[in-house]
Amino acid sequence: MKSHNSQSNPLPLEGLCIVDFSHFIAGPFTTQILADLGASVIKIENLKGGESGRYGPPFVDGQSHYFLSFNRNKQSVALNLKDPRGKKIAIRLIKQADVLVENFAVGVMGRLGFGHKAMTKLNPNLIYCSVSGFGQSGPLAEKRSYDLIAQAYSGVMSANGERGSSPLKIGIPIGDTTAGLYATISILSALLQRKATGAGQRLDISMYDGLLAMLANHGGYYLASGEQAEKWGSQHYISVPNGVFPVKDGFIAIAAVSDLHWQKLCKALGMPQLSTDPLYAGGLDRAKNRGTLETHLLDHLAEVSVVQAVEILDAAEVPCGPVQSIGEALEHPHIQSRGMLLDLNHPAYGALRVTGSPLGPNLVRHNPSAPPLLGENTKEILASLGYDEQDITQLMEDGVIAAAELDPSRLI
């Protein structure tokens, strides 16, 4: 299998092979993290267009922004899994794999002939990870799901939005990415456990379970009181002032979560008398008198700009920050200093910029590769399995495999 690593020290997952049947976000997000950590990730894609994440506009030279966001450092093999010869190729890959990741609807992998029981008979060491909306068991297991549906069922939407407003979906795909993170943690844990037991195992990860865990203190509030914490939009249900506030030319976030923060905030904004006012003495007092407190706060913030407010509050050691657009966040100098933007290059679609990995620089690839074209690695992967050039040509002619042909004029 091809290795992308050119670092002197081995990466954490170097030498491990991941067979990736996943598509769109949750599964590819999982396998991208594993690929960043050094694993060889082989995407199994269908011949006609590849995985569904390749279809979403906007496109960069024909490559979807969805696909470009979740598929760096991977290899692509395009197979017709309805043909026994295509299925045989996939099975040969699975036999030598350490991990299989899939996020089809429950039962699809079994119908394709790649169900957990059958694959672990072929490879008892295999860690077989299924990522789904509601898991492989339970009353909702068969239900089709996307991020929106998982947010709705989990209670997340009911806790999001302004006071008195309709339930509101979180704008980023939090259900997909949360499931991806839990899948990654589970796979890494299973790999460690396999060292002790010598056996693989089935991992059942769901967006629903992940979001329930991510309810965090909101879930704890209900379990402790039997009631749901009231939603306050960008403010906090009990910590005040803690939220987003308008200033002269925009919005800032302020998190004065302690009495000391409150006292420093009052002094910094020129309203020291409020820091000793009994109406706002403690956290519960401030929550009870939220309305009048925020009126005072808004009156003072209306006189300053975003830059001025942040400078004043930073100097007073009050946690704060500007509410930036995605563009402003991605263009901030801090993101460059943290290495959170990657500039990739590909012979077919040229220069590409993507968000990077938040993992430590010694853990991930220093020279990441761009997401692959559909079938870009079909020929080399089949050659590694023992297929000769004549076999590969015949399989292509018969519509069993497909291989991307790069334009020689664009080769680096």
Side-chain angles (χ1 to χ4, degrees), residues 261-289:
H261 286 146
W262 168 242
Q263 293 159 14
K264 289 182 174 181
L265 175 68
C266 291
K267 182 178 179 181
L269 292 181
M271 47 185 196
Q273 71 282 1
L274 293 185
S275 66
T276 57
D277 191 319
L279 287 175
Y280 315 120
L284 291 177
D285 300 310
R286 292 191 291 278
K288 181 180 178 180
N289 297 291

Side-chain angles (χ1 to χ4, degrees), residues 184-346:
T184 302
I185 293 167
S186 298
I187 290 168
L188 295 177
S189 300
L191 286 167
L192 282 174
Q193 193 173 64
R194 191 178 69 177
K195 285 188 174 182
T197 66
Q201 62 176 289
R202 175 71 178 279
L203 302 176
D204 176 8
I205 306 299
S206 83
M207 290 191 284
Y208 180 70
D209 294 347
L211 288 176
L212 286 176
M214 295 295 279
L215 288 175
N217 52 294
H218 283 266
Y221 189 105
Y222 176 83
L223 293 173
S225 68
E227 298 179 356
Q228 177 162 325
E230 191 171 1
K231 60 184 179 183
W232 286 89
S234 296
Q235 316 307 317
H236 194 273
Y237 60 85
I238 196 167
S239 179
V240 180
N242 186 355
V244 172
F245 303 93
V247 293
K248 188 160 57 176
D249 61 349
F251 296 87
I252 64 165
I254 299 173
V257 299
S258 70
D259 292 343
L260 181 59
H261 286 146
W262 168 242
Q263 293 159 14
K264 289 182 174 181
L265 175 68
C266 291
K267 182 178 179 181
L269 292 181
M271 47 185 196
Q273 71 282 1
L274 293 185
S275 66
T276 57
D277 191 319
L279 287 175
Y280 315 120
L284 291 177
D285 300 310
R286 292 191 291 278
K288 181 180 178 180
N289 297 291
R290 179 195 299 261
T292 55
L293 182 153
E294 291 184 351
T295 297
H296 291 300
L297 183 58
L298 292 174
D299 286 344
H300 285 75
L301 290 174
E303 301 175 3
V304 295
S305 66
V306 169
V307 171
Q308 290 170 331
V310 171
E311 287 179 350
I312 291 168
L313 297 181
D314 275 348
E317 298 182 333
V318 176
C320 68
V323 178
Q324 299 187 134
S325 67
I326 290 176
E328 289 169 333
L330 293 177
E331 293 168 8
H332 196 283
H334 191 67
I335 196 173
Q336 291 288 355
S337 71
R338 297 291 296 172
M340 280 302 296
L341 284 180
L342 298 177
D343 290 304
L344 310 178
N345 210 335
H346 192 278

Side-chain angles (χ1 to χ4, degrees), residues 18 20 22 27-36 41 70 74 101:
I18 317 293
D20 182 7
S22 68
F29 184 59
T30 302
T31 53
Q32 179 168 269
I33 298 171
L34 299 173
D36 285 343
V41 175
F70 303 111
K74 300 180 187 179
V101 178

Side-chain angles (χ1 to χ4, degrees), residues 29-53:
F29 184 59
T30 302
T31 53
Q32 179 168 269
I33 298 171
L34 299 173
D36 285 343
L37 291 168
S40 174
V41 175
I42 302 171
K43 289 183 66 68
I44 306 296
E45 300 190 71
N46 69 72
L47 301 184
K48 297 180 179 179
E51 67 123 305
S52 54

Side-chain angles (χ1 to χ4, degrees), residues 31-201:
T31 53
Q32 179 168 269
I33 298 171
L34 299 173
D36 285 343
L37 291 168
S40 174
V41 175
I42 302 171
K43 289 183 66 68
I44 306 296
E45 300 190 71
N46 69 72
L47 301 184
K48 297 180 179 179
E51 67 123 305
S52 54
R54 290 185 181 271
Y55 305 149
F59 296 93
V60 178
D61 282 353
Q63 303 296 303
S64 166
H65 77 288
Y66 268 99
F67 190 79
L68 297 179
S69 297
F70 303 111
N71 288 285
R72 64 173 173 266
N73 294 323
K74 300 180 187 179
Q75 299 166 271
S76 171
V77 175
L79 298 177
N80 178 0
L81 295 178
K82 294 182 179 179
D83 188 296
R85 292 167 292 175
K87 182 177 293 187
K88 181 179 178 181
I89 293 168
I91 286 175
R92 289 181 67 176
L93 288 171
I94 294 168
K95 279 184 176 180
Q96 63 185 45
D98 295 282
V99 180
L100 182 152
V101 178
E102 64 91 9
N103 66 330
F104 289 111
V106 172
V108 170
M109 284 292 281
R111 292 193 291 274
L112 288 172
F114 301 103
H116 165 251
K117 289 182 179 179
M119 294 304 97
T120 52
K121 282 184 180 179
L122 295 173
N123 182 355
N125 297 321
L126 183 68
I127 294 165
Y128 190 110
C129 181
S130 296
V131 183
S132 61
F134 296 98
Q136 303 297 305
S137 63
L140 297 176
E142 301 289 334
K143 189 173 181 64
R144 297 298 179 107
S145 180
Y146 286 99
D147 183 88
L148 171 68
I149 309 306
Q151 286 197 39
Y153 264 96
S154 67
V156 165
M157 287 174 61
S158 74
N160 193 39
E162 297 295 334
R163 187 182 186 191
S165 68
S166 300
L168 184 65
K169 169 183 171 289
I170 294 176
I172 61 173
I174 192 71
D176 285 301
T177 51
T178 295
L181 289 172
Y182 277 114
T184 302
I185 293 167
S186 298
I187 290 168
L188 295 177
S189 300
L191 286 167
L192 282 174
Q193 193 173 64
R194 191 178 69 177
K195 285 188 174 182
T197 66
Q201 62 176 289

